[in-house]
Amino acid sequence: MTDIDTLFQNARLPDGRTVDIAVKNGQISAIAAGLRVAARESTDLKRRLVLPGLVDGHIHLDKGFIGDEWKPHRPCTAGFNVRERVEFEKQALAKAKPIPVRAAGLIELCVSQGTTHMRSHVDIDPQIGLRNLDQVAAVRDAHRGKVSIQIVAFPQSGIVTAPGTRELLDEAVRNGADLVGGLDPADFDGDIAGHLDAIFDVAERHGVGIDIHLHDGDLLGVFEIEEIARRTKVLGLGGRVTISHAYALGQVPRDIALRAANRLAEAGVSILTNAPGAHAFPPVLLLHEAGVNVFAGNDNIRDSWWPYGDGDLLERAMIVGYRSGFNTDAELALAFNMVTSHAARALGIKGYGLVEGGPADFLVIDAQHVQEAVIARPKPRDVYKAGRLVARNGVTVSDVR
């Protein structure tokens, strides 16, 4: 084997094997026990557990208050209401520090916990224009050496009810957004067909994926879910469409949820959940057993929507598992996969995982196996991106760009 950049010795993999990991040009060039290769550097991992880099399937880098002063949560006046929350958010963000400060702080926090990939939704509307997109993209580029970030052009103020947004979504994708988003076609926009026509049209014309926020509940929400699945299948977009939240699947009888799950699986539509506190959320095990790719993300972190979160995806996996009633090793492994391989599949990350030829993105922790990683969320953690140390003991390494 030709000279390599770094040899990581005595790495314990999730399958229990102790191996050496050779890294060259940011990729894993070999994984085997007792590798004998010339390396510029070597690191003895001392049989600590090595896990693939964590993947945050849903976050909002333009909304958080990390890096800003504490802002008390303002509850909705009569129970959770998306439109009211959006208005409260706009008022709070008008007084917040600039996006580059807050987004950078949130990225650093997530990286320090082991996140190596994320998908961020970024607000697009006639008042904001593409300003948020441009600023988040600049912060993304500045942190490219620490984390890979996809951007979703997110119509937080609606599409049909916010004239000009459809054109802005089109422009956002032309300007570098990786996916087009959507928001509650029925309840927020009041026009299911019009809303879905707009986002599927932009996605089809530009060849990008779709990630739709769907809070609409009960049978109405299921109708929208099945309509999204139908359109995805007709247009051949399987594997490139995600429905985020999909609360309705956790509010309807099992037979209806199973019918929807089968249609989602057939169409190749993924479901994202963060198992939010007071809300119903999708039945993870039912969806998984039906063949649906179910994954997780932190969603909002310390922003106007709720004050919680520290960017730790192992904790998010624990929350999903706890709220889903997961107890067996297989169930805990599923919770772990939701913030690793399942999220990577939804994001279309090529070569993901601890595999030869894949990117050398991983974290090193003190745990026996992935099940303990989920239930104990052990720290400290060493985080590597492309084979380079980017965070240790909860602090990012400043000289990585």
Side-chain angles (χ1 to χ4, degrees):
M1 181 182 295
T2 58
D3 287 356
I4 62 172
D5 298 322
T6 308
L7 179 65
F8 294 92
Q9 298 172 303
N10 299 310
R12 187 156 46 82
L13 300 182
D15 63 11
R17 290 181 296 148
T18 298
V19 300
D20 298 337
I21 302 174
V23 174
K24 183 178 178 65
N25 297 328
Q27 293 185 310
I28 297 174
S29 58
I31 300 178
L35 282 177
R36 297 184 180 278
V37 295
R40 294 184 179 88
E41 298 180 12
S42 63
T43 299
D44 186 356
L45 298 182
K46 301 179 180 179
R47 299 195 73 250
R48 297 177 74 198
L49 183 64
V50 177
L51 302 175
L54 305 179
V55 182
D56 196 326
H58 189 117
I59 196 169
H60 292 266
L61 291 176
D62 57 339
K63 296 179 182 292
F65 297 132
I66 299 295
D68 203 344
E69 62 184 21
W70 175 260
K71 299 186 186 303
H73 181 74
R74 183 180 178 184
C76 291
T77 55
F80 179 75
N81 180 280
V82 173
R83 191 174 294 277
E84 189 174 32
R85 284 253 58 88
V86 170
E87 181 56 35
F88 288 172
E89 175 184 69
K90 288 182 177 180
Q91 294 172 18
L93 289 176
K95 302 175 183 178
K97 288 186 177 180
I99 285 175
V101 174
R102 295 181 287 106
L106 186 49
I107 288 172
E108 296 281 327
L109 179 64
C110 293
V111 169
S112 74
Q113 305 278 23
T115 298
T116 59
H117 295 79
M118 61 173 62
R119 173 181 286 178
S120 176
H121 296 252
V122 177
D123 288 6
I124 306 289
D125 71 20
Q127 287 71 47
I128 295 171
L130 302 185
R131 185 170 63 252
N132 287 20
L133 172 66
D134 293 340
Q135 293 181 75
V136 171
V139 177
R140 173 199 61 190
D141 293 344
H143 290 79
R144 196 177 297 278
K146 296 179 180 179
V147 62
S148 301
I149 301 175
Q150 293 181 359
I151 294 178
V152 183
F154 175 44
Q156 178 70 89
S157 300
I159 299 175
V160 178
T161 56
T165 300
R166 180 172 183 162
E167 292 74 19
L168 282 169
L169 292 174
D170 191 88
E171 186 179 356
V173 173
R174 290 200 307 270
N175 286 12
D178 302 290
L179 300 95
V180 60
L183 172 66
D184 296 345
D187 187 60
F188 201 95
D189 247 358
D191 186 345
I192 296 173
H195 190 100
L196 295 181
D197 284 349
I199 59 179
F200 274 90
D201 174 64
V202 173
E204 187 180 18
R205 284 190 294 104
H206 292 283
V208 298
I210 294 171
D211 194 329
I212 305 174
H213 283 64
L214 189 63
H215 309 93
D216 292 345
D218 299 305
L219 293 177
L220 173 61
V222 171
F223 173 82
E224 294 172 271
I225 288 167
E226 293 182 336
E227 175 61 11
I228 292 167
R230 185 191 69 80
R231 289 175 180 245
T232 299
K233 184 178 179 180
V234 168
L235 294 175
L237 291 175
R240 305 184 69 186
V241 175
T242 291
I243 301 174
S244 288
H245 306 312
Y247 293 163
L249 293 174
Q251 297 172 325
V252 296
R254 177 182 173 84
D255 61 327
I256 295 177
L258 183 58
R259 183 193 71 196
N262 289 331
R263 293 179 181 178
L264 290 166
E266 183 180 6
V269 175
S270 294
I271 294 292
L272 173 285
T273 185
N274 65 325
H279 294 284
F281 68 102
V284 173
L285 198 56
L286 179 149
L287 291 166
H288 173 68
E289 291 177 346
V292 180
N293 183 46
V294 192
F295 66 110
N298 278 305
D299 195 10
N300 303 90
I301 296 177
R302 299 189 207 174
D303 60 13
S304 291
W305 293 75
W306 51 60
Y308 296 100
D310 65 357
D312 186 355
L313 284 167
L314 289 180
E315 181 166 280
R316 182 58 52 190
M318 183 276 292
I319 291 171
V320 172
Y322 179 80
R323 293 209 62 207
S324 298
F326 288 177
N327 294 299
T328 68
D329 279 5
E331 291 168 341
L332 294 173
L334 172 57
F336 175 76
N337 291 341
M338 289 176 67
V339 298
T340 52
S341 58
H342 289 195
R345 186 186 313 157
L347 271 62
I349 302 172
K350 296 180 180 179
Y352 175 82
L354 300 173
V355 295
E356 293 182 358
D361 301 340
F362 54 87
L363 67 152
V364 184
I365 63 173
D366 295 309
Q368 300 177 67
H369 35 59
V370 298
Q371 289 82 3
E372 185 178 23
V374 170
I375 64 170
R377 295 96 63 211
K379 297 175 183 178
R381 303 172 188 175
D382 292 345
V383 186
Y384 292 86
K385 179 70 174 173
R388 296 191 297 172
L389 182 71
V390 295
R392 170 167 285 167
N393 298 337
V395 179
T396 55
V397 178
S398 60
D399 62 352
V400 176
R401 294 289 185 268

